[in-house]
Amino acid sequence: MENCPNCNESFKGFMNSNKLLKEETVEFINHYLPPEEHKTHYCEKCGYDKYYSAKDKYNDAVNRISKFQMNNIDFVPCISIQEPRSWDIEVIGLVTAQSTMGTGFYTEIASSWGDFIGADSKSMNAKVSTGESNCLNILRTKAISMGGNAVVGVDIDYAEVGSLKGMILVCATGTAVRLKNLDVLPIENKEQIAQLIEVSEEMKMIGKFSKVQL
Ligand SMILES: [Zn+2]
């Protein structure tokens, strides 16, 4: 090929660095264009603006999806018991999550024992509780992306890690399930879960574009 099939720009000549874009980049550009504007090839010249406009749209979508997930993921039930009596469930599979955080123990203990016992244990509790909710949200997100809508049998464990034991590791495990009679949940949970499933499908679809380059 000596010229771009789209814009007819040449690929030949000394100092000419123009070349055809890779197939995956063409797919990415076309994904964000209306079907009537789709082309089978773009070169670096005619694809440049289209690539960056697709990249903007992709980033906007990822931001919108992440924000929605972050704000609504706790509508997904995540419970320690195996199966509430009113639930009709189908088991999907095991989900696990880990979250590590520094306790600040060895830096802050130097200041004074009083601080550690009082204020620091408070800040440590806050960190552990952040770790717990991170883990539970990971379990929920995994369950949704596996086609589930709830997590049951959740268990949380803690361990000190690191050579100076200055870190706390929170681990959570659970079973992703599909609750068939969603009517047992409050109406807002039902609605948010439906939307979470929708954005998760969208994320799966555009996820393949995460490494596309010009
Ligand atoms: Zn071109």
Side-chain angles (χ1 to χ4, degrees):
M1 218 181 270
E2 293 184 359
N3 299 78
C4 171
N6 181 36
C7 68
N8 210 33
E9 197 68 32
S10 171
F11 300 129
K12 288 203 336 186
F14 185 64
M15 301 290 283
N16 183 353
S17 65
N18 191 29
K19 56 180 192 285
L20 270 185
L21 297 184
K22 279 184 243 151
E23 212 172 295
E24 55 175 23
T25 314
V26 173
E27 191 193 347
F28 175 60
I29 289 174
N30 283 340
H31 181 83
Y32 290 100
L33 286 177
E36 64 272 18
E37 288 177 33
H38 287 190
K39 295 286 185 296
T40 52
H41 297 87
Y42 301 100
C43 67
E44 283 185 346
K45 203 146 189 187
C46 65
Y48 187 89
D49 288 345
K50 291 183 171 71
Y51 168 81
Y52 281 101
S53 135
K55 192 94 185 157
D56 283 346
K57 288 177 184 157
Y58 167 82
N59 287 338
D60 286 349
V62 170
N63 287 339
R64 169 176 50 76
I65 292 169
S66 314
K67 213 181 224 171
F68 185 83
Q69 275 187 325
M70 221 160 60
N71 293 334
N72 295 282
I73 196 70
D74 52 4
F75 281 104
V76 176
C78 196
I79 56 174
S80 61
I81 51 174
Q82 289 296 339
E83 184 176 356
R85 235 181 274 164
S86 58
W87 285 25
D88 179 15
I89 61 173
E90 178 195 329
V91 170
I92 292 177
L94 178 76
V95 277
T96 62
Q98 297 83 36
S99 180
T100 316
M101 64 234 92
T103 60
F105 184 91
Y106 282 94
T107 49
E108 284 165 51
I109 199 173
S111 55
S112 90
W113 269 101
D115 274 0
F116 171 65
I117 294 161
D120 197 59
S121 70
K122 237 185 232 166
S123 83
M124 175 125 92
N125 286 346
K127 279 172 187 161
V128 170
S129 125
T130 304
E132 281 170 5
S133 72
N134 284 348
C135 280
L136 297 185
N137 286 342
I138 294 168
L139 297 185
R140 291 173 164 120
T141 306
K142 283 186 175 175
I144 290 283
S145 76
M146 287 160 76
N149 54 22
V151 187
V152 299
V154 174
D155 185 50
I156 303 182
D157 276 310
Y158 310 87
E160 279 183 292
V161 292
S163 53
L164 278 172
K165 293 200 167 183
M167 305 277 275
I168 282 195
L169 172 70
V170 182
C171 303
T173 59
T175 304
V177 297
R178 196 174 68 81
L179 173 58
K180 291 185 237 173
N181 55 336
L182 269 175
D183 292 328
V184 297
L185 300 179
I187 182 81
E188 64 264 32
N189 288 61
K190 226 175 112 177
E191 284 164 1
Q192 298 306 323
I193 288 170
Q195 288 197 52
L196 283 163
I197 291 170
E198 219 170 90
V199 297
S200 160
E201 289 302 314
E202 189 186 349
M203 193 62 225
K204 268 185 217 165
M205 198 175 66
I206 64 171
K208 62 179 173 191
F209 296 136
S210 67
K211 294 202 172 73
V212 170
Q213 285 176 332
L214 192 63

